Amino acid sequence: YIRLYNRAQEKMSEKKFSDAIKIFIEYENNVKKIIYGYDLYLNIGICYYYINEYHKAINYFTKAIDCEESSELYMNRFS
């Protein structure tokens, strides 16, 4: 599934944001434990931003923040 994620990033660099979103969401739906949670949601949010779907962008930016906060809480709990 890493290849899928990397392919989505390539589409982002090519400014093919709609294609990138489809691939990122396919990655999200097929991976049981999301390895790149924060980055995944941030990238999807960025793609939605660039295609002017701001409401969806905000939803994914919020997911990224939530993911980062829960990760920080987890790390702080065990440090």
Side-chain angles (χ1 to χ4, degrees), residues 8-41:
Q9 288 184 315
E10 288 172 15
K11 294 293 181 187
M12 274 185 82
S13 0
E14 297 167 0
K15 298 185 189 284
K16 295 180 179 176
F17 299 111
S18 294
D19 292 340
I21 290 168
K22 289 176 191 170
I23 298 168
F24 279 131
I25 290 176
E26 181 182 347
Y27 172 85
E28 178 184 24
N29 291 335
N30 287 299
V31 175
K32 290 185 179 85
K33 180 181 177 192
I34 296 179
I35 300 167
Y36 303 112
Y38 172 81
D39 291 331
L40 172 67
Y41 298 135

Side-chain angles (χ1 to χ4, degrees), residues 31-77:
V31 175
K32 290 185 179 85
K33 180 181 177 192
I34 296 179
I35 300 167
Y36 303 112
Y38 172 81
D39 291 331
L40 172 67
Y41 298 135
L42 181 63
N43 284 334
I44 295 172
I46 290 168
C47 289
Y48 276 123
Y49 174 83
Y50 278 114
I51 61 171
N52 301 319
E53 292 193 35
Y54 302 117
H55 184 70
K56 289 181 181 180
I58 290 169
N59 286 337
Y60 276 96
F61 290 146
T62 302
K63 277 185 168 187
I65 291 167
D66 291 345
C67 191
E68 185 70 7
E69 286 176 353
S70 65
S71 175
E72 286 180 22
L73 288 174
Y74 178 81
M75 295 305 288
N76 289 336
R77 177 196 261 175

